[in-house]
Amino acid sequence: MDALQRSVVNRLKTARGQVGGIIAIVEADAYCPDVMKQLSAVQGLLEGASRIMLRRHLETCVAKAMQQGRTGEIVDELMETLKFDKHVFRPPQTPEHEGWDLHAAGHEAAGHEPEGTAGD
């Protein structure tokens, strides 16, 4: 196993442990922002692992395919693969695209909590 593979495995094992912890705090009815922080940490680990795998792929498979003259084939494969990376092919999400109620969001920003959310 090379250094990049070890790095990915370590990130995935850390994420696995954190997911177990998140499940426990959700089951214990933890404060929502605390859960969200933990989810964000796991997402960061997974995104980092994905970037490492992309780098490894570029340095090995893509470079080799291009040296062999298979540029079109490898570019097509890479474009297909990158569709899974939300940061590459998807525009940034705005409140309108995520189904947020902008009117309600404005009230929250002004210090008004929607009914039934006090203390969460």
Side-chain angles (χ1 to χ4, degrees):
M1 182 179 328
D2 66 26
L4 291 177
Q5 286 172 310
R6 275 193 304 278
S7 181
V8 169
V9 168
N10 288 339
R11 286 173 183 268
L12 293 175
K13 286 180 178 180
T14 301
R16 178 176 58 193
Q18 285 186 313
V19 168
I22 294 168
I23 291 169
I25 66 172
V26 168
E27 290 174 341
D29 199 26
Y31 187 56
C32 294
D34 293 340
V35 174
M36 293 167 63
K37 287 177 192 174
Q38 294 302 315
L39 289 169
S40 179
V42 170
Q43 289 168 337
L45 286 165
L46 296 176
E47 288 171 5
S50 183
R51 282 191 302 274
I52 292 168
M53 291 305 301
L54 175 60
R55 180 178 190 89
R56 185 171 191 265
H57 183 60
L58 291 170
E59 290 176 347
T60 58
C61 303
V62 172
K64 183 177 181 180
M66 292 180 79
Q67 289 169 350
Q68 295 172 343
R70 298 185 297 119
T71 304
E73 174 189 332
I74 199 68
V75 167
D76 289 344
E77 176 188 282
L78 191 55
M79 294 299 288
E80 181 67 24
T81 301
L82 291 176
K83 286 196 295 189
F84 299 106
D85 186 331
K86 68 180 178 179
H87 299 292
V88 174
F89 282 113
R90 293 183 187 101
Q93 293 296 308
T94 60
E96 300 86 37
H97 293 107
E98 291 184 357
W100 292 357
D101 182 345
L102 292 180
H103 181 70
H107 285 293
E108 290 174 26
H112 304 291
E113 293 182 343
E115 288 186 37
T117 62
D120 188 45

